[in-house]
Structures are given as C-alpha cells and as structure tokens.
Amino acid sequence: MADQAAIDALRARPVPPQGLWIDGAAWEAASGETIAVVSPIDGARLTTIASAGHADVDRAVAAARRSFESGAWSRAAPAERQTVMHRIADLIGKHALELAVLGVRDNGTEISMALRAEPGSAAGTFRYYAEAADKVYGEIAPTAHSVLGLVHREPVGVVGAIVPWNFPLMIGAWKIAPALAAGNSVVLKPAEAASLTLLRVAQLCSEAGLPDGVLNVVTGHGAEAGEALGLHMDVDVLAFTGSGGVGRKLLEYSARSNLKRVYLELGGKSPNIVFADAADLEQAARVSAFGIFRNSGQVCVAGSRLLVQREIHQEVVDRVSAIAAAMKVGDPLDLATQAGAVVSAEQLEKDLRFVAEAAREGAELKTGGHRILEQTGGYYMQPTVFDHVTAQMPLARQEVFGPVLGVMAFDDEEEAVSLANSTVYGLAAGVWTSNLSTAHRMVRAIRAGVVHVNTYGGPDITVPLGGVRQSGNGHDKSLHALDKYTDLKTAWIQL
Ligand code: NAD
C-alpha cells in the first residue's frame, strides 16, 4: 500500500530536462530544441523534453535496425529474452511509486488509479510477454507425406510505436513488451503531454540488460517526430494508439512510404446499457459513474453514453448524478482523490465546448458542467451528467475524452441495440441485466471489441483489446498481440 507521506516526498523532487533515448543513452535533439512540460496539477512548468526532428528519428531507426541485424536480441534464445524482460518487470515494480508519481505530475491521473493502471499494469504486461517468449510455437502443416511444411513465426524487424498521454506506461507496455518478446527492436514516440515515465522505463530496460538500440524513445511533436516515424522507409510496422484523425494520417504515411503495416487503436463512444432487470441498480450506477469519470473521462473505453430502460431511467439518472456530484475531484497526488486533473488547458477547453454545445442542443444538465479549483492554476472539471441526449447530438456521436456523460432512454432490447450501434465507433460496451439470454444476445448484437456484462472496465492482460469500425484494427494484450509483431514464413521441404 502506498502511503501519502512517500507520495508527498516524491512530488517535490525536481525533474531534470529530459533527452531522447537512442542506442542506450540520452541525447539532446540535433536541433537543440525542447518542449516545456506543464503539469496539469497546477499549470506550472515541470521540466522540458527534447523535441526530436527528422535527423533524430533517422538516428533512432538506424540504431534499432543495427541492433536488430546484430542478432543480440532478435536471435537471442527466447529464454534469454524472457530473463531480461522479467528483470524489466522487477525494476518497474521496484520503482513503481516513483514512476506513478512522475506520471501523475505529467498527466494528472489520480494516483489511486495511476498506481494500478500504470507501473502496476506495465510490470504485469512485461511479465506476461516474458512468459510468452518461450511458449509460442510455430506450426507443422498437415501436408502429404512427401513434403514437410513448416510455418515459422519471425520478428518483423523495426517497430514504430506511437502512444497517447492518458495511460502512457500501460499502453506503452502493451506495444513494447510483445514486440520485444518476439525479438523486434522498437522506436517509441510518446505523447508530448506524457513522455516522462516512458523515458524512465527505457533507462530501466538498459539497467535490466536490454541491448543498446533495441528500445529507443524519441520525444517530440506528433506532426514532426511522429510524422518522421510514420513516413520512415526502414520502419516495418507502426503500432498506434490515439485519435482517429492521426490514425488516418498514419495510413497515408504508410501509403506514401514503404507500405508498412499500420495497427490502429483509436477512440470510442461506448454505450453502457442498463436494463430494468439489472440485479443491483446502485451497483450499476456506481460502476457506470466510475466507468466514465475515472481519469476525468480520459479513457478510450469510457462508457460515455448511458442507455437506460425507460421504467428505471429517472432512478438511474438520479443515482448516477448523485454519485458524480459527490466525487472527490482535485489534487491527483492525494490518495483520496477519485478524479484528478484534465491533462491540459486545451483539453479542458474542448470539454467545456462540448458542455456548452450539449446545453444549446437541448440536453438537460443534471450536475457539473464547469471548471473547478481554478485558483490552483490546474485544470479540473466537475464530473458532468446530461440527460435527454438524442442520437443526433454531437454529445452522442463524438468522443469528448473528458468527464461528460450523456444519458438516453430506450424502451426495448431492439432499440437498445440500435442506439448502441448508432455511432461510427466500436470499441467497448456494457450491459446490465440479470437475464442470461438478454446478456448473450446483446454481446452478439453490439458491434464492439469488448462487451462488459454486469461490470464496466477491468479486463486483464489475458484478453485482447481492439476496436472495430472507426475504433481501429488489430489487438493489444493477450497472445493475439504477438500477431502484430511477427511475420509468418513458410518452409516447403520436399522429402
Ligand atoms: P492523438 O492522436 O492526438 O496523439 C496520439 C499520439 O500521436 C501522440 O504521441 C502524438 O504526438 C502523435 N501524433 C500526433 N500527430 C501526429 C502525426 N501527424 N503523425 C504521427 N503522430 C502524431 O491522441 P491523444 O490526444 O494523445 O489521445 C487521445 C486519443 O487516444 C483518444 O481518441 C482516445 O480514445 C485514444 N485512445 C485509444 C485507446 C485504445 O486502446 N483504443 C487507448 C487510449 C487512448
């Protein structure tokens, strides 16, 4: 259990200016340019990160390619890779509190959640794929006796990974760990608003014995460092988590360069559906509220549309609004805080624009809807609930990525399915019912990568996470993630 005194000691630590991590060492950007890191806790400058340009990305990709061709990692026995990856997990575990506090100062997630979701989950992810390294087999094809058909699984080479700011360590680990387990080298581009913990993890990887050049981190602007990585002729696979707009650009970069494979984990507008026969409405309301408001709604799978059967609609809206109004929002480094800061002034502005627009369109504001704690200099917003949202409103169609919930009523299962599937997205969903048949029918009918039943959030590393439709393609987590970072090669041998 983390204690508040230890957190408070770490929050005061100065953070030195951060370089790029290339070939096992820290470097300034070739241009010397840096980006100021502003903490959303108080709006104060925390440190700087290096702003990588084309030359830096070229160097990082060259280091990755060199390390890959050297075989030091790519041809190491899987059991050797496993040992190093377990050491990485150990070091992340050993430095968990330091990493969690550093990450919270960078992106504002409440520490109670960050501890579990960031170093906690990253260490678990490294362990999971460490174990997978020597347990995934190739295949022998069922051929005629005169031939032998072998299917080898080979690393793809250089993986470019581009990740967002909401859970940098967790999502970073979901890309890095399976890529490394399969023997690849990686160039990682974190988000401008959350690079610090991933830079620290890159150092820990070196300390654990990962050969130089196998993991490189290029910080910088998306339109510069990210674009350079996306267009690079020597990157074999791009693994991305972020917005649909940037996802589209990455597909274009691939088409304009070397046709590298592009995997996209994008946004959502996930429906969370409460039927009148749900076993425990208070539990449904509480989990649903936390399913949208934790990390201030900055969660890709957030249940941002609450669909409630008409006969219990009022009761559920009242309960969810009361829970939202009572949530403890504020200093993200306080262990008692339930929702921390919004990541940046721009994101807060965007959230408030959605609120103003929803009110203009006729949705009914039940609670929240405004900035709070402005005197701290930080970016905080009261959890917000709108009722009587219609399927046509932007609040029902577009991802806010903030603490804003829209509630809609439905009459029957058919209408629930139709509303659930009425956006361009297909990332996550929730269903609350005590009828097993309803639950199974809904799981089949909803177009989403994950459907939670009588809970919301929390699937562990053993199951895949991925979207359908404009929520993306490919999967993070589980053994399926290895498909992204491996190529199949056939050996056809005449006997
Ligand atoms: P974003 O798309 O703005 O940025 C993501 C990353 O892309 C950052 O590292 C950014 O620097 C980089 N980038 C920006 N422009 C680029 C360009 N032109 N070329 C290459 N790279 C570029 O997303 P964000 O604001 O950091 O994160 C929020 C989004 O991420 C939301 O849409 C959210 O739903 C999504 N997300 C999805 C998942 C998932 O698993 N499906 C998980 C978390 C977040």
Side-chain angles (χ1 to χ4, degrees), residues 161-167 170-171 174-175 189-193 220-230 238 240-247 249-250 253 264-268 298-301 343 347 350 399 401 425 427 465-467 471-472 476:
I162 303 181
V163 297
W165 43 259
N166 58 337
F167 293 104
M170 177 174 79
I171 295 171
W174 287 348
K175 315 278 187 218
K189 160 50 191 105
E192 299 85 318
H221 294 292
E224 211 175 337
E227 185 189 84
L229 195 57
L238 267 187
F240 173 72
T241 297
S243 62
V246 175
K249 288 189 180 163
L250 298 185
Y253 298 156
L264 304 174
E265 305 279 338
L266 308 175
Q298 301 166 134
V299 178
C300 58
V301 295
V343 71
Q347 183 67 39
K350 184 178 158 201
E399 184 184 45
F401 220 55
Y425 295 110
L427 190 56
L465 172 68
S471 288
D476 280 336

